[in-house]
Amino acid sequence: MSTSERLIESTRELLWERGYVGTSPKAILERSGAGQGSMYHHFKGKPDLALAAIRRTAEEMRATAEAVLAGPGTPYERIEAYLLRERDVLRGCPVGRLTMDPDVIADDALRAPVDETLDWLRTRLTGIVEEGRERGEFAPALDSAEIAAAVVATVQGGYVLARASGSPAAFDAGVRGLLALLAPRER
């Protein structure tokens, strides 16, 4: 792995663990094993490196979600697969956690990949719910965009509740509840 890749990967991990303020250049260099001048050789500074790390995290989240959402099955089964996929629930969402970081939210450039990823996810889920409505799998009165927002809110809120309680049970309960509400209607 190249030095710039090690710097990006180390920054991604530290942002997830500590947030922006807690991710010091010294911690990045220690985690990456890179020399002192390496960060400034490859990046303009911490904000530039953090942006590269956030973009990478956002791209990875979109790719992981797309792999499940584009998979086989009915719209309900694809949403179910997304909700039930393997996650490190107690660590939280690496993108969602950035929304609680005041330094990321205050910086338009750092916030942009977070906003874009959550917007992409809501849009992608809206299309799947709409497909389910058109196929008669979901009630015609459902608002596809609102259901998509509820799916994203359940996942992100589930992470928060699980971290607060120290147990994935709250996440799992929220997912089960949402799936029960979305279960295809009898024809």
Side-chain angles (χ1 to χ4, degrees):
M1 186 183 300
S2 72
T3 302
S4 65
E5 283 299 308
R6 288 196 330 267
L7 288 165
I8 290 170
E9 289 304 312
S10 297
T11 303
R12 288 178 63 199
E13 292 168 13
L14 288 164
L15 286 170
W16 195 4
E17 292 167 15
R18 303 179 183 183
Y20 186 81
V21 170
T23 301
S24 67
K26 181 180 178 190
I28 294 167
L29 293 173
E30 285 175 3
R31 174 82 53 107
S32 68
Q36 187 145 7
S38 297
M39 187 169 106
Y40 299 100
H41 173 74
H42 295 285
F43 301 95
K44 293 176 194 156
K46 178 182 165 183
D48 188 41
L49 176 54
L51 180 57
I54 292 168
R55 283 184 178 146
R56 174 81 53 83
T57 297
E59 289 165 9
E60 188 176 279
M61 182 180 153
R62 285 192 303 269
T64 300
E66 181 60 22
V68 175
L69 295 172
T74 66
Y76 176 84
E77 290 167 344
R78 292 180 354 242
I79 291 170
E80 178 183 46
Y82 170 73
L83 288 169
L84 295 175
R85 78 170 178 77
E86 181 92 17
R87 290 180 165 86
D88 189 352
V89 174
L90 295 180
R91 271 189 92 187
C93 174
V95 172
R97 288 199 49 195
L98 293 169
T99 66
M100 294 178 245
D101 191 316
D103 294 286
V104 171
I105 295 306
D107 185 306
D108 291 341
L110 295 177
R111 188 181 68 243
V114 174
D115 287 342
E116 290 162 9
T117 299
L118 294 173
D119 287 346
W120 172 87
L121 183 56
R122 282 189 298 269
T123 301
R124 186 69 176 90
L125 287 164
T126 297
I128 293 170
V129 174
E130 189 59 35
E131 179 188 337
R133 284 182 57 225
E134 290 168 4
R135 295 172 58 171
E137 188 175 7
F138 298 132
L142 288 182
D143 182 301
S144 299
E146 289 177 358
I147 297 303
V151 171
V152 174
T154 298
V155 170
Q156 293 302 321
Y159 280 127
V160 170
L161 296 174
R163 285 178 56 80
S165 68
S167 167
F171 183 96
D172 297 341
V175 165
R176 284 193 310 273
L178 180 58
L179 289 171
L181 290 171
L182 285 179
R185 58 197 188 115
E186 299 296 321
R187 292 187 184 187

